Amino acid sequence: MTQRLFDENAYRFAFTAVVRGCEKTADDRYAVLLDGTCFFPEAGGQGADKGTLGGHPVLDVREVGDEIVHTLPAPLPVGSAVDGAVDRNCRFRRMQQHTGEHILSGLAHRFFGCENVGFHLGEDEVTMDFDRPLSDADMERLEEAANRCVWEDRPVRAWYPAPDELSDLTYRSKKELTGAVRIVEIEGVDRCACCAPHVARTGEVGAVSVLSYARYKGGMRLFIA
């Protein structure tokens, strides 16, 4: 099992870990297992972190069961200690974007009963789908409220509740979840199951902009940044 260091501290970008496994893949790359990692794997509509491991570029990061597999262009000796460095700018930008998406989704749920049924975090914008259409006035209200939340600099908490605590919580989730569930809460705005790193306060998002929106599959598709 790989220790998920990014869960403990989303702002930790450098780490040292022990190589637990290294196997050559069919495409002449190497799948590397560590005892712990700060690299967030591709999951939930968000791409894998970028950076270096043992001096080699990290080509991909995937979650396989309880393990996080790092794809490298060269092997690393099993049992050795290696340094890892996550691309700080890329990670923080994604943390801003993802937290901004939670703000908008949480407010849309509170104001209009919308469920977020689709999400993709790109390099420069976020695509999100709601299950019901909204008017121009609704969108204006949503964007204004989102930026007020940013301006108010509300705390953002991410944690794994104990089973008894989790059973008493109301939170958004796209699917039924079992086992340990990570909750991300924006005070007074949203509470959602999410595995990704987030900023610690909404003020770090900077601003939320709805770039465009359109009716989509009976609901609404938004492009935000």
Side-chain angles (χ1 to χ4, degrees), residues 2-218:
T2 310
Q3 185 179 4
R4 302 163 67 94
L5 302 175
F6 51 82
D7 274 349
E8 301 169 8
N9 182 359
Y11 296 86
R12 183 177 175 183
F13 304 106
F15 67 103
T16 301
V18 174
V19 179
R20 293 172 42 237
C22 181
E23 295 184 1
K24 192 172 185 179
T25 64
D27 55 358
D28 291 330
R29 296 179 175 183
Y30 293 85
V32 175
L33 295 179
L34 306 174
D35 62 346
T37 185
C38 285
F39 282 92
F40 178 73
E42 180 177 346
Q46 179 169 324
D49 279 336
K50 302 176 182 179
T52 61
L53 186 61
H56 302 292
V58 175
L59 305 177
D60 194 16
V61 189
R62 300 276 176 166
E63 192 171 21
V64 181
D66 290 335
E67 301 287 5
I68 294 177
V69 181
H70 310 72
T71 301
L72 303 182
L76 294 176
V78 175
S80 65
V82 294
D83 293 329
V86 175
D87 184 318
R88 177 187 300 262
N89 292 334
C90 178
R91 159 69 76 77
F92 185 69
R93 177 66 171 161
R94 289 175 176 176
M95 288 163 60
Q96 291 176 300
Q97 298 273 38
H98 206 141
T99 304
E101 179 268 325
H102 275 231
I103 293 171
L104 274 173
S105 293
L107 290 170
H109 184 75
R110 282 172 174 259
F111 291 167
F112 313 115
C114 292
E115 297 293 342
N116 184 316
V117 294
F119 166 72
H120 175 72
L121 196 157
E123 292 301 317
D124 300 309
E125 65 183 21
V126 177
T127 305
M128 50 196 297
D129 295 333
F130 293 148
D131 64 347
R132 62 187 64 189
L134 298 174
S135 67
D136 291 344
D138 292 338
M139 295 303 304
E140 184 176 349
R141 179 187 177 192
L142 192 58
E143 185 178 47
E144 181 179 359
N147 280 290
R148 177 167 293 277
C149 174
V150 172
W151 175 76
E152 290 170 344
D153 195 28
R154 297 183 179 222
V156 180
R157 180 191 180 198
W159 83 106
Y160 287 92
D164 56 341
E165 180 187 3
L166 183 66
S167 65
D168 291 335
L169 290 178
T170 300
Y171 58 91
R172 293 189 303 109
S173 178
K174 292 185 179 68
K175 59 183 180 180
E176 193 72 25
L177 300 172
T178 58
V181 177
R182 185 171 180 267
I183 298 294
V184 175
E185 182 176 48
I186 300 171
E187 185 179 87
V189 173
D190 188 39
R191 186 185 294 131
C192 181
C194 184
C195 60
H198 287 263
V199 295
R201 303 192 67 87
T202 60
E204 294 178 82
V205 172
V208 176
S209 177
V210 179
L211 304 176
S212 64
Y213 54 91
R215 297 289 183 95
Y216 180 75
K217 293 184 177 181

